[in-house]
Amino acid sequence: MQKLLKNVGLVFIIFILISGIFVLYSGPQEKPAEISLSTLVSEINEGQVKKITVDENKLSIELNDQKTQTSTKEKETGLTESLKNYGVDQEKLALVNIDIKNNASSSFWIGMLPFLLPFLLVAGFIWFMLRQAQKGNSQALSFGSSRARMIDPKDKKKRITFKDIAGAKESKEELTEIVEFLKHPSKFLKLGAKIPKGVLLLGPPGTGKTLIAKAVAGEANVPFFNISGSEFVEMFVGVGASRVRDLFKQAKKNAPAIVFIDEIDAVGRHRGAGLGGGHDEREQTLNQILVEMDGFDTNTNVIVIAATNRPDVLDPALLRPGRFDRRVTMDLPDIEERVAILKIHAANKPLGEGIDLHTIAERTSGFSGADLANLLNEAAILSARRGRKDISMAELTESIEKVILGPERRSRVIDEEEKRIIAYHEAGHALIGASLENADPVQKISIISRGHAGGYTLSAPAKDKRLLSKKYFIDELSVLLGGYVAEKLTFSDVTTGASNDLERATAMARNLVTRYGMSELGPRTFGHKEELVFLGKEMHEEKNYSEKTAEDIDKQVTKFIGDAYVVAEKLLVEKKATLEKIVALLIEKETMEQEEFNEIMGIKKKKPITPIKPDMDKPEPIIKPETEQVGSKKEAAPEPETETSPEPAKSI
């Protein structure tokens, strides 16, 4: 109704404008002076007349001085004859441009215009309304159509195979069977094997879930339908379900084919949870997906691949056998896989001499494939900015820090006293980290502001770790407190620069007690975390222990932190001279690489150890970002997602 009123109003405005123009041009205007034929003859003889336009008996006269006049000739007599009767000079008349108009037909249409205009406006209005209705119908018909993008297997430029994916050996082996089924389904059907209807790809963001799904389609040489879970859901009821039906209809037409639904948790969360009850649009969309997957028969060569990094919030109906039969975990790459990934992304980039990708892989523990691709891209941009023709090791190492912490902020003004505090703080972290056996080795120290960090100590494990011991956590607690203790011993005061360190140390100590069972309270956990499924985030923690136990937990947390403080203080007092050397070099050069630091500490370079690949979950990277600066406070780092994940590191 609103749209109709808008259109009617538009037509009315157009009508008013046309009417105004018509009235404007048809209204009275200033008329030229009317003269007699004798006067006209006199003007011709005097050479004043430039042009005469004859319109039946009316004469429009244009003089040489641009003035206009009108006159009337004798009826049924030609202009020349009439002027001759009044004694016109034939030679002068020959110089005048005489134009005879014959506009009887145009006069007719001009006269008819006032009568035709209303009919024309009505006809235009009807045409406009029909056009709008036709457009609305076409939009309504296409609104429920699938928004999936299809990659044609004949398009060789967009084709991706397993050769384009580094690492993920186990995942590729698991998906090879899917490829074989799409290529040779009869081989499996003869043995009575059922088709795997769905494959669920699990893993952190950037681990290559979408890429490996495209590779499956590329290996099988079948059409690939790609759509995000959020593209199903609209504000109108039934649209999502309609798009699901259309998507699977297209896939069945192009079978064998692969349907890939990215971020399926957008529509696949637990039904009946949330503010919309059990009948909202999202749940109807999910129900339709379940129905379509159940509708596949043994002869339908369509496989659904879905990806998510939140499998814990998915509806159980999606995960039962017969729907998503297989789950393939895409984990973060280990050191050898990171080297392979770096080689792939560096293939089209000019690398300079002395590039050691293995060293880069060592410093990028916990990086995903997307992070490594971004790392090389940032290095290429940095090289171009510096006017280089190739990428050197310096750009690569600097890009690691840029990806982790952000760009350098050399323009930031820091006074000398604050600079000394930051130097002692970072030196405290580094010295403790190098002195304890189970702590991660120091890769770089800097007091240059980068991103939100006033300074930072970059540490990374010498080899990939999947299990973390109590000894490791104990030593890391001392490292986290190293900056705080160094400030207190040197300046007899502390700053807010250690706030982030204290938050992380407290969280780590509490996890030792409540999650890992590494305290004197014994092998049990304390507290149960509650999560609202429709929000997908932790809301509160249920307290399943007594007040007395809560006091014991606090005592254990305090004990862990207190013991770590004693260790850090003892080491810094014993190695005061070494601390001063590190600080002096930091103030002078602002940054210190691993080789310079190890030389001051007297650490000999160890031979690289070939990593063992156990079947455990991989920990998160251990990078030690710093807070804004001394005098500012940074939010506490989020708790690790897995029990084997180490805490992020020291900060100022």
Side-chain angles (χ1 to χ4, degrees):
M1 186 66 183
Q2 227 175 5
K3 195 170 183 179
L4 178 63
L5 292 173
K6 182 180 177 183
N7 294 333
V8 172
L10 182 63
V11 171
F12 180 74
I13 293 171
I14 294 172
F15 176 77
I16 295 296
L17 289 173
I18 294 175
S19 302
I21 294 170
F22 181 77
V23 171
L24 181 65
Y25 281 95
S26 62
Q29 297 179 356
E30 185 180 352
K31 295 182 179 180
E34 189 169 354
I35 60 174
S36 63
L37 284 179
S38 59
T39 305
L40 175 60
V41 170
S42 300
E43 291 177 346
I44 294 173
N45 293 335
E46 293 174 1
Q48 298 178 9
V49 180
K50 180 180 179 182
K51 182 180 180 181
I52 300 175
T53 303
V54 183
D55 186 2
E56 294 183 348
N57 294 325
K58 294 180 180 180
L59 304 178
S60 298
I61 305 160
E62 183 181 348
L63 303 179
N64 291 328
D65 58 0
Q66 306 300 321
K67 291 182 179 180
T68 57
Q69 297 173 338
T70 61
S71 184
T72 305
K73 74 178 184 64
E74 298 175 347
K75 295 181 179 180
E76 299 179 358
T77 306
L79 176 63
T80 306
E81 187 178 351
S82 297
L83 296 176
K84 188 177 179 181
N85 294 334
Y86 281 88
V88 71
D89 188 345
Q90 295 293 328
E91 294 182 358
K92 297 288 185 180
L93 182 61
L95 300 174
V96 178
N97 182 16
I98 299 175
D99 183 21
I100 301 174
K101 284 179 77 175
N102 185 16
N103 54 357
S105 60
S106 62
S107 301
F108 172 78
W109 289 110
I110 291 174
M112 291 293 294
L113 185 61
F115 302 98
L116 292 175
L117 186 60
F119 294 99
L120 292 174
L121 289 174
V122 171
F125 174 73
I126 295 173
W127 176 84
F128 180 78
M129 296 301 295
L130 291 174
R131 186 78 181 234
Q132 290 292 104
Q134 187 179 6
K135 187 184 294 185
N137 290 333
S138 65
Q139 288 177 351
L141 292 172
S142 64
F143 199 65
S145 301
S146 170
R147 306 293 177 88
R149 294 150 309 268
M150 189 185 81
I151 298 178
D152 195 329
K154 297 178 182 179
D155 191 353
K156 303 297 182 182
K157 293 181 179 179
K158 295 183 179 180
R159 187 179 178 185
I160 297 173
T161 63
F162 287 152
K163 293 181 180 179
D164 301 315
I165 303 174
K169 184 179 178 182
E170 292 81 5
S171 302
K172 288 190 284 189
E173 289 177 354
E174 190 75 15
L175 294 170
T176 300
E177 294 182 7
I178 305 297
V179 175
E180 283 296 315
F181 169 77
L182 290 170
K183 284 184 174 180
H184 312 289
S186 59
K187 182 171 68 174
F188 297 89
L189 296 175
K190 286 179 181 178
L191 297 173
K194 292 183 179 180
I195 334 171
K197 294 184 178 181
V199 179
L200 187 62
L201 301 178
L202 313 173
T207 51
K209 298 185 292 293
T210 304
L211 188 65
I212 203 167
K214 290 181 180 179
V216 172
E219 289 285 340
N221 200 30
V222 298
F224 181 81
F225 293 87
N226 180 23
I227 191 170
S228 174
S230 60
E231 294 182 64
F232 287 116
V233 183
E234 293 281 354
M235 65 180 289
F236 302 105
V237 177
V239 173
S242 175
R243 289 178 178 176
V244 171
R245 288 191 294 271
D246 187 65
L247 170 62
F248 282 90
K249 183 180 178 181
Q250 292 181 39
K252 290 174 183 178
K253 280 184 182 179
N254 294 274
I258 288 177
V259 174
F260 178 67
I261 305 175
D262 201 7
E263 305 295 344
I264 194 173
D265 52 279
V267 294
R269 300 194 174 201
H270 283 279
R271 289 171 292 181
L275 304 176
H279 300 283
D280 63 3
E281 173 64 6
R282 179 184 59 79
E283 294 191 3
Q284 292 188 31
T285 305
L286 173 59
N287 290 336
Q288 190 62 44
I289 292 175
L290 298 177
V291 169
E292 292 291 340
M293 294 187 72
D294 283 339
F296 287 174
D297 54 36
T298 55
N299 297 320
T300 304
N301 299 344
V302 177
I303 293 178
V304 183
I305 301 178
T308 180
N309 54 11
R310 290 300 309 276
D312 54 309
V313 303
L314 294 180
D315 193 280
L318 274 174
L319 305 177
R320 75 160 175 81
R323 278 141 185 184
F324 286 101
D325 306 89
R326 296 193 177 187
R327 303 180 196 180
V328 178
T329 300
M330 300 291 295
D331 210 346
L332 293 172
D334 58 26
I335 186 168
E336 297 301 327
E337 290 172 338
R338 290 198 298 274
V339 172
I341 294 171
L342 287 169
K343 286 181 179 179
I344 288 178
H345 291 295
N348 61 344
K349 295 178 176 62
L351 299 182
E353 296 181 1
I355 296 292
D356 187 0
L357 294 180
H358 195 277
T359 302
I360 300 299
E362 287 180 348
R363 292 196 174 191
T364 53
S365 177
F367 274 45
S368 65
D371 293 330
L372 295 171
N374 185 37
L375 165 65
L376 284 168
N377 185 60
E378 288 290 344
I381 294 172
L382 186 59
S383 298
R385 189 187 303 163
R386 294 175 177 177
R388 295 183 58 89
K389 295 182 179 180
D390 55 20
I391 302 172
S392 68
M393 197 69 178
E395 279 78 38
L396 286 171
T397 53
E398 188 171 340
S399 297
I400 295 174
E401 299 162 29
K402 185 177 181 180
V403 170
I404 297 169
L405 300 169
E408 285 187 350
R409 300 168 65 187
R410 290 185 176 271
S411 60
R412 187 175 182 180
V413 180
I414 302 175
D415 60 41
E416 292 299 321
E417 182 62 22
E418 189 172 302
K419 191 174 181 180
R420 287 185 70 244
I421 294 173
I422 296 173
Y424 273 100
H425 188 108
E426 300 305 330
H429 283 314
L431 191 146
I432 301 296
S435 302
L436 297 176
E437 182 181 357
N438 300 292
D440 292 329
V442 177
Q443 302 288 342
K444 184 176 181 178
I445 317 168
S446 176
I447 59 173
I448 298 174
S449 179
R450 181 181 285 276
H452 292 287
Y456 59 94
T457 300
L458 184 64
S459 299
K463 58 182 180 179
D464 292 316
K465 298 178 182 179
R466 297 181 184 265
L467 289 177
L468 302 176
S469 64
K470 180 180 178 180
K471 292 180 180 179
Y472 170 82
F473 286 118
I474 295 295
D475 286 356
E476 281 297 309
L477 278 174
S478 297
V479 177
L480 284 170
L481 295 175
Y484 178 89
V485 177
E487 287 185 30
K488 192 172 183 180
L489 291 176
T490 306
F491 304 100
S492 300
D493 196 6
V494 292
T495 67
T496 57
S499 62
N500 195 282
D501 296 329
L502 300 181
E503 290 173 2
R504 295 175 182 177
T506 304
M508 183 182 290
R510 186 165 291 277
N511 284 335
L512 288 173
V513 180
T514 61
R515 294 182 63 189
Y516 306 145
M518 296 180 178
S519 69
E520 295 177 2
L521 297 181
R524 61 163 292 189
T525 61
F526 301 92
H528 177 68
K529 294 178 180 178
E530 292 290 340
E531 205 174 76
L532 293 181
V533 175
F534 72 98
L535 292 178
K537 62 188 294 184
E538 181 186 325
M539 298 301 295
H540 71 280
E541 183 173 338
E542 181 185 348
K543 191 175 178 181
N544 58 2
Y545 47 86
S546 65
E547 292 297 329
K548 177 65 171 63
T549 304
E551 291 181 11
D552 294 337
I553 292 173
D554 290 339
K555 288 179 182 178
Q556 289 294 309
V557 171
T558 303
K559 185 176 183 301
F560 276 124
I561 295 176
D563 292 344
Y565 183 96
V566 172
V567 172
E569 185 179 40
K570 182 181 177 183
L571 286 172
L572 289 174
V573 171
E574 291 178 355
K575 301 184 178 184
K576 179 68 173 176
T578 306
L579 179 68
E580 295 294 340
K581 290 181 181 179
I582 299 171
V583 170
L585 190 58
L586 277 176
I587 292 175
E588 179 186 352
K589 300 179 66 177
E590 294 185 333
T591 60
M592 186 183 299
E593 295 292 339
Q594 185 179 22
E595 293 77 13
E596 296 175 300
F597 176 74
N598 288 346
E599 186 178 348
I600 293 176
M601 295 296 300
I603 301 173
K604 296 181 180 179
K605 189 176 181 180
K606 297 180 180 179
K607 294 181 180 180
I609 302 172
T610 304
I612 301 173
K613 299 183 178 181
D615 298 326
M616 302 293 181
D617 291 335
K618 184 176 179 161
E620 296 293 326
I622 310 176
I623 300 165
K624 304 173 173 59
E626 309 301 329
T627 58
E628 175 68 14
Q629 62 177 24
V630 175
S632 68
K633 185 176 181 180
K634 186 178 180 181
E635 293 182 2
E639 254 185 28
E641 293 184 0
T642 62
E643 294 188 356
T644 59
S645 299
E647 295 289 332
K650 310 76 179 168
S651 62
I652 182 171

